[in-house]
Amino acid sequence: MKLGLQLGYWGARPPEDVAPLVAAAEECGFDSAFTAESWGSDALTPLAWWGSDTRRLRLGTSVAQLSARTPTAAAMAALTMDHLTGGRFILGLGVSGPQVVEGWYGQPFAKPLARTREYVQVIRDVLAREAPVTQAGPHYPLPYAGEGATGLGKPLKPITHPLRADVPIWLGAEGPKNVAQTAEIADGWLAIYYSPRLAPMYDEWLDEGFARPGARRSRQDFEIAATCQITVTDDPGAVRDGVRPTVALYVGGMGAPELNFHAQVYRRMGYGAVVDEVTALFRSGRKDEAAAAIPDEMIDETMIIGDAEHVRREVARWKAAGVTTMLVTCRDAAQVRRLAEVVLQGA
């Protein structure tokens, strides 16, 4: 099992003391470090800044939002980061949700699967640098010839030669069609709120994608990176209480009530009644009650909280379910070192 350090996106202020976390991750044998974005800090700038002192860690975005950049801009960023890291960059992409896409980026959210497929293809064409890039559309036509076009646009190749034509592209996906397409067109799956109990269901989705004509990968060379809070502690109850508000936010408040992808994930796990209750409480402003309504078993479904023996046993279960990397958040360098001892060295 590999460990990845999930640095996420910023809150109201930039986080402090991130550099020691990244340094500890590199020193202790972590495989990777990832940053994210929502509607505040971007994913690429902090990754380049904090990653500049690394020499071994793979550096990735988990995730960069499709609507934040045109596919050619994303390809330029991947090309640049891959050169700066010496071939250690992973481009993690995701569609986000309609509230962000339409409310923040001012773009339509419709047809996320088709948009993702077209977006990824443009990036691969740019990085291949075999010919000037064209795309028939309809989502990202190149050259643009629609309303307001001058007719002067021309197909282009990147000026800078990519270090790698096959920069890994990992996709954040939560639903069955999205996961299947991820297995077909991507190099890895960024799974959020993964439950090893549901691995047979995920395997069906993934196998559908692997079986499609032209699929890039197979089960043997496809990476599954699951975000999972792992806490080594003798007081799991206190840790669960600390994470309940975050779970309530994502289940009850992240997305529209009628379209919340995170809530749908928990519904598939069998927590539909809890999701309904938490959503109603959260939307009515009763956030503390919403957090209190999250049961222990719902937390334990997607997180690993307990003593060292429990953590090792659960990590082995996630590995057996097909996960290749655990993306973990850590509050300080000491926690990074402790996780490395327990998960990587088995101490």
Side-chain angles (χ1 to χ4, degrees):
M1 177 65 74
K2 292 176 285 191
L3 287 180
L5 180 63
Q6 177 58 273
L7 298 170
Y9 53 83
W10 301 357
R13 296 287 184 273
E16 298 180 355
D17 299 326
V18 174
L21 288 178
V22 176
E26 174 140 295
E27 175 188 347
C28 294
F30 275 52
D31 171 74
S32 55
F34 284 80
T35 53
E37 62 189 12
S38 194
W39 56 91
S41 60
D42 79 295
L44 288 156
T45 309
L47 186 67
W49 183 270
W50 292 325
S52 62
D53 288 332
T54 65
R55 298 294 178 268
R56 185 190 54 78
L57 286 174
R58 293 195 290 174
L59 302 174
T61 55
S62 173
V63 295
Q65 298 167 327
L66 265 64
S67 297
R69 301 161 193 86
T70 64
T72 47
M76 289 167 65
L79 182 158
T80 305
M81 286 291 293
D82 206 44
H83 271 291
L84 292 175
T85 61
R88 293 182 287 130
F89 182 64
I90 299 167
L91 180 60
L93 299 168
V95 295
S96 188
Q99 285 189 325
V100 175
V101 173
E102 297 180 0
W104 184 250
Y105 295 116
Q107 300 175 25
F109 182 76
K111 300 186 182 300
L113 287 172
R115 285 191 292 113
T116 300
R117 181 181 293 273
E118 194 172 309
Y119 197 101
V120 169
Q121 186 59 56
V122 171
I123 293 172
R124 296 207 188 280
D125 289 346
V126 171
L127 295 176
R129 204 178 180 272
E130 294 175 348
V133 178
T134 61
Q135 173 60 244
H139 304 288
Y140 307 103
L142 292 172
Y144 177 73
E147 183 179 356
T150 64
L152 301 177
K154 60 177 292 185
L156 299 169
K157 290 196 295 185
I159 297 170
T160 306
H161 292 228
L163 179 65
R164 293 185 294 171
D166 59 347
V167 172
I169 297 176
W170 296 3
L171 296 178
E174 295 181 77
K177 293 181 180 179
N178 203 352
V179 172
Q181 179 172 275
T182 296
E184 176 192 357
I185 70 173
D187 305 293
W189 173 30
L190 290 160
I192 188 170
Y193 297 124
Y194 183 94
S195 169
R197 178 172 63 86
L198 300 185
M201 180 182 71
Y202 304 142
D203 286 343
E204 288 183 9
W205 302 350
L206 291 165
D207 288 341
E208 178 186 336
F210 293 139
R212 292 175 182 172
R216 282 178 58 82
R217 301 286 179 180
S218 66
R219 175 77 61 174
Q220 288 65 42
D221 60 359
F222 185 82
E223 299 201 51
I224 298 177
T227 294
C228 176
Q229 178 156 334
I230 304 178
T231 306
V232 184
T233 178
D234 292 325
D235 188 1
V239 176
R240 291 191 190 99
D241 288 342
V243 302
R244 284 186 218 279
T246 301
V247 177
L249 166 64
Y250 275 81
V251 170
M254 194 67 76
E258 64 274 18
L259 187 59
N260 180 335
F261 298 124
H262 308 305
Q264 290 174 0
V265 170
Y266 279 105
R267 290 186 187 281
R268 292 187 190 98
M269 295 179 200
Y271 296 104
V274 176
V275 169
D276 290 340
E277 179 184 6
V278 170
T279 300
L281 290 169
F282 198 96
R283 297 288 173 177
S284 65
R286 298 154 66 185
K287 297 181 181 180
D288 290 343
E289 293 178 59
I294 302 292
D296 289 355
E297 58 268 24
M298 189 167 163
I299 294 172
D300 293 340
E301 188 89 36
T302 60
M303 302 181 189
I304 300 175
I305 303 169
D307 60 23
E309 181 179 351
H310 173 79
V311 168
R312 284 194 293 270
R313 183 170 60 249
E314 285 297 292
V315 167
R317 187 165 73 95
W318 285 59
K319 181 178 179 180
V323 173
T324 59
T325 297
M326 309 282 276
L327 296 183
V328 300
T329 57
C330 294
R331 63 181 177 275
D332 53 37
Q335 188 177 5
V336 170
R337 295 188 181 96
R338 182 59 176 146
L339 283 180
E341 290 173 359
V342 173
V343 177
L344 301 180
Q345 285 96 46

